[in-house]
Amino acid sequence: MLVKNLAPYESIDGKYVVKFKKPVQKYAKGYVFQLRIGDPSGEIMLRYWGAEKKDEVEKLYNSIKKDDVVYVVGETTIFNNRMAINVNPPSGKITVLKTGEYEESDFIPESDKDTKEMYGELTKIADSLENTHLKELVYAFVKDPAFSEKFIKHPGAMYKHHGWLGGLLEHTLNVVKICEFLKKIHPELDRDLMLTGAILHDIGKIRELDVSTHIRTSKEGMLVGHLALTFEEVVKKMDRLKTPGDIQLKVKHMLLSHHGKFEYGSPRQPAIPEALAVYLADETDSKITEMLTHIKRAETEDDYIYVSDFGPIYLK
């Protein structure tokens, strides 16, 4: 029972993620506490109306942690002009679920594209690289089972673009394909160098984003960020592979400049055409995907929605 589909004054039972909770308080007939719960479609407040036995209410409250998945039986209502859920025991209940009693994909959307097919396509592109050193570098990642297992499933972001399971792979492949197109109209571009940057530019997001019942920034992501984490991972591989110094410099530059501008958090601005191509391909895919996602998720009969990053987005 998705949050967005709930209607007032109906019985509900469903699984939701706990976003935060508010402390136990006394009310006329006993003790109450509140939870903010949600699923991929939205969030809603829940109130658990306990009896006079404070210890029992506090025991349940203390058993519930942020990010837990809970099974809820209750009723929807309108409170302060907003939809809410009331849980009134004994008919109503909250049960904390264990791992295995729910699917992560129930709470994080998945790519609508086949991840195995996408990874196979990415691997074929890696196979097509002609520069031995660059192919060896790319292979060190895409042929590594431990890396590929994470990369195939990982989201590309928390919210803005590709914020779903498989999103990182989907975005990476899109960037690679845009770079392939740019090579066709600008044959002077070094294809192997450009595609190496495109394939590797966001691998640090595996460390930047944690995935459980939702996508969140890791401590490394908060304090270091995926751009630096990507740089660290790739440099370690190049040092181990003894990649020639001139190639190392250009790969490092592409990674450090792929956000394009200083105001976008890029330590360097693109100084070679291949780095410029990777930045523009990355920007193009992320922005178009973000706008399309806003349109897809818009729930209005209006002609427009307003999004701060874009301004008005026309829906018709």
Side-chain angles (χ1 to χ4, degrees):
M1 303 185 74
L2 294 176
V3 168
K4 71 176 184 179
N5 295 331
L6 296 179
Y9 311 112
E10 66 176 6
S11 298
I12 68 138
D13 65 281
K15 300 175 183 179
Y16 305 96
V17 178
V18 177
K19 303 295 183 176
F20 64 81
K21 58 182 190 174
K22 293 186 177 182
V24 174
Q25 294 182 325
K26 185 78 172 71
Y27 81 105
K29 297 181 180 180
Y31 293 87
V32 60
F33 63 81
Q34 299 182 61
L35 304 177
R36 184 76 173 175
I37 60 174
D39 58 29
S41 72
E43 298 181 6
I44 191 170
M45 288 303 298
L46 174 152
R47 290 169 178 79
Y48 180 87
W49 303 94
E52 286 286 352
K53 296 180 179 179
K54 184 179 180 181
D55 290 347
E56 289 184 6
V57 177
E58 287 187 335
K59 182 179 179 181
L60 174 61
Y61 175 82
N62 291 331
S63 73
I64 301 168
K65 305 291 189 296
K66 180 183 176 183
D67 299 335
D68 278 348
V69 175
V70 291
Y71 174 66
V72 175
V73 177
E75 297 177 341
T76 54
T77 187
I78 298 295
F79 183 79
N80 288 339
N81 295 318
R82 292 187 177 183
M83 185 91 71
I85 294 174
N86 285 334
V87 175
N88 294 283
S91 58
K93 64 180 180 179
I94 302 174
T95 306
V96 179
L97 300 181
K98 300 176 182 177
T99 302
E101 294 182 321
Y102 59 89
E103 297 289 338
E104 286 184 357
S105 58
D106 290 342
F107 305 99
I108 305 176
E110 293 183 279
S111 173
D112 56 8
K113 299 179 180 177
D114 188 299
T115 53
K116 290 184 179 179
E117 287 184 9
M118 287 194 291
Y119 203 72
E121 194 172 351
L122 189 70
T123 302
K124 286 182 181 178
I125 292 169
D127 292 339
S128 73
L129 299 179
E130 296 178 357
N131 183 294
T132 304
H133 300 293
L134 292 173
K135 178 182 279 191
E136 187 179 42
L137 174 60
V138 172
Y139 273 1
F141 291 97
V142 301
K143 298 285 188 178
D144 177 1
F147 171 83
S148 62
E149 182 181 3
K150 295 176 182 176
F151 188 76
I152 288 171
K153 297 177 181 178
H154 219 69
M158 284 181 64
Y159 303 112
K160 287 202 169 183
H161 70 91
H162 299 93
W164 48 79
L165 300 177
L168 178 57
L169 170 58
E170 184 179 337
H171 170 60
T172 299
L173 186 58
N174 288 347
V175 173
V176 169
K177 288 179 176 180
I178 294 170
C179 286
E180 287 273 49
F181 174 76
L182 291 174
K183 170 65 177 175
K184 289 180 180 179
I185 58 176
H186 294 289
E188 306 94 329
L189 290 168
D190 183 330
R191 177 180 181 270
D192 286 4
L193 181 63
M194 178 172 57
L195 295 189
T196 297
I199 292 169
L200 300 179
H201 80 282
D202 266 352
I203 62 168
K205 287 190 174 182
I206 292 175
R207 291 168 60 184
E208 180 182 54
L209 300 172
D210 283 337
V211 181
S212 55
T213 51
H214 65 285
I215 304 166
R216 62 184 175 186
T217 304
S218 67
K219 289 183 180 179
E220 282 189 305
M222 181 65 67
L223 297 176
V224 181
H226 79 272
L227 196 149
L229 293 171
T230 298
F231 185 83
E232 180 182 304
E233 291 290 330
V234 174
V235 168
K236 282 193 297 185
K237 285 287 195 299
M238 291 195 295
D239 287 344
R240 181 175 65 79
L241 295 169
K242 296 182 170 51
T243 306
D246 58 332
I247 295 178
Q248 281 211 33
L249 277 176
K250 289 182 177 180
V251 171
K252 288 177 181 178
H253 175 70
M254 286 191 296
L255 300 179
L256 291 176
S257 64
H258 87 264
H259 279 186
K261 299 179 182 180
F262 297 130
E263 58 265 36
Y264 295 167
S266 195
R268 305 300 299 167
Q269 295 187 139
I272 59 175
E274 291 78 15
L276 182 61
V278 171
Y279 155 59
L280 292 173
D282 180 38
E283 182 80 354
T284 298
D285 181 56
S286 61
K287 289 298 185 186
I288 290 176
T289 300
E290 184 180 354
M291 183 177 280
L292 289 171
T293 302
H294 282 302
I295 292 171
K296 183 179 179 180
R297 294 177 179 174
E299 295 183 3
T300 178
E301 294 182 358
D302 292 340
D303 290 345
Y304 297 89
I305 56 171
Y306 183 86
V307 178
S308 58
D309 287 350
F310 295 100
I313 297 177
Y314 188 61
L315 301 174
K316 302 298 184 182

